[in-house]
Amino acid sequence: MSEVSAESAYDAALAYLLQHPWVADEEASNRSYRFNLMCEAGLDFANDASMPMEARVLYSGDHPERLIELAGSGDRIAHEALCEIAAHRTGRNLSLPLVLQAYVVRAAMKPPNFRQGSHAVSHLHRDEAIFAAVELMVSRGLRPTRNRASTGPCACSIVSAALSECRLGTSELNVASIWRKRCKARRAAGFGLASDVQI
C-alpha cells in the first residue's frame, strides 16, 4: 500500500471512530443493557403523542424475576435496573409489584455482592465500532492483520493508530483480537463480512 493510501485509510478510520462518540463512553453499553433489562421487566407506553416521551414511558416492573436472579448472581447493572424501576414508579406515586418490593427491601437490608471489574457488556459498543472500522479498512483493500515479519500497515494497525488519536490507546494485537471474536460471532450468526480471511 502506498504512503498516500495508508494515510487516506487512517483518515477514514479516524473519521469513522470520531463519528461514534460512544466508542470512548464505557457507560454507553451499560446504559443500553440497563434500559433493555428495564424494558424486559415490563414497559408500557401512553398513546398520547402530545405528552413528552419521558412522561409516556411507564416501567411496570411486572416481570422482574430474571433481573432479580441476575442481580442475585452479582450483576450490578441488573440491580441498578431494578432500583431505577422502583424509583420510576415511586416518583409517579405508583406501587411496586410485590416481588420487586421484596427485592428492594432485601437489597436495602443486605446489598448484593457484585462482581468486581468491568461488566461483561461494558465494551460492546466500543468493540463493535472497532470491528466496523477494521471492516471498513478491509473494504478499502487492506489485509485485516499482518504477520510479525510484515512492515507495511494492515487494517488492525491503522485502526489501532486511529484509536490512539481518539485517546483510546488499544494495541494492534487487541484490535485484532476484537476483530477475530466479532468475525467468529458474525459468521456463526450467518452474517457476511468485508473480509474473506479464514479465522
Side-chain angles (χ1 to χ4, degrees):
M1 166 169 269
S2 71
E3 193 64 39
V4 174
S5 56
E7 186 177 320
S8 169
Y10 171 82
D11 290 343
L14 182 59
Y16 176 83
L17 292 168
L18 290 173
Q19 286 176 351
H20 299 3
W22 38 259
V23 169
D25 181 3
E26 184 174 304
E27 281 300 307
S29 294
N30 295 347
R31 284 190 305 271
S32 296
Y33 179 56
R34 187 178 310 112
F35 173 74
N36 286 327
L37 290 174
M38 291 171 70
C39 292
E40 178 184 328
L43 177 68
D44 295 318
F45 282 99
N47 286 330
D48 185 351
S50 67
M51 297 170 64
M53 183 54 81
E54 323 65 74
R56 295 172 64 190
V57 174
L58 176 64
Y59 297 104
S60 69
D62 290 337
H63 308 287
E65 295 81 10
R66 192 175 87 86
L67 279 69
I68 291 171
E69 185 179 321
L70 289 169
S73 69
D75 189 324
R76 171 185 52 82
I77 297 175
H79 169 76
E80 292 169 357
L82 290 162
C83 291
E84 283 194 38
I85 292 167
H88 172 84
R89 294 191 61 79
T90 302
R92 292 183 175 202
N93 294 320
L94 299 169
S95 63
L96 300 180
L98 292 177
V99 176
L100 183 54
Q101 280 182 29
Y103 174 80
V104 170
V105 169
R106 264 194 326 274
M109 293 172 65
K110 185 180 178 202
N113 291 322
F114 301 121
R115 290 186 288 272
Q116 298 299 310
S118 293
H119 194 282
V121 302
S122 293
H123 300 295
L124 286 177
H125 288 329
R126 181 205 67 182
D127 290 356
E128 188 61 26
I130 288 171
F131 168 81
V134 171
E135 286 292 290
L136 175 64
M137 297 299 95
V138 170
S139 73
R140 292 172 148 260
L142 283 165
R143 293 188 52 77
T145 59
R146 59 185 172 179
N147 63 40
R148 293 181 187 186
S150 298
T151 57
C154 67
C156 290
S157 67
I158 288 177
V159 170
S160 175
L163 285 164
S164 292
E165 180 78 18
C166 297
R167 295 194 173 115
L168 291 170
T170 303
S171 72
E172 180 181 338
L173 288 175
N174 194 33
V175 170
S177 174
I178 290 166
W179 176 77
R180 284 186 182 100
K181 286 176 188 173
R182 291 279 189 227
C183 283
K184 285 180 182 178
R186 279 189 158 56
R187 286 190 175 117
F191 293 111
L193 301 169
S195 57
D196 57 5
V197 175
Q198 293 298 315
I199 312 272

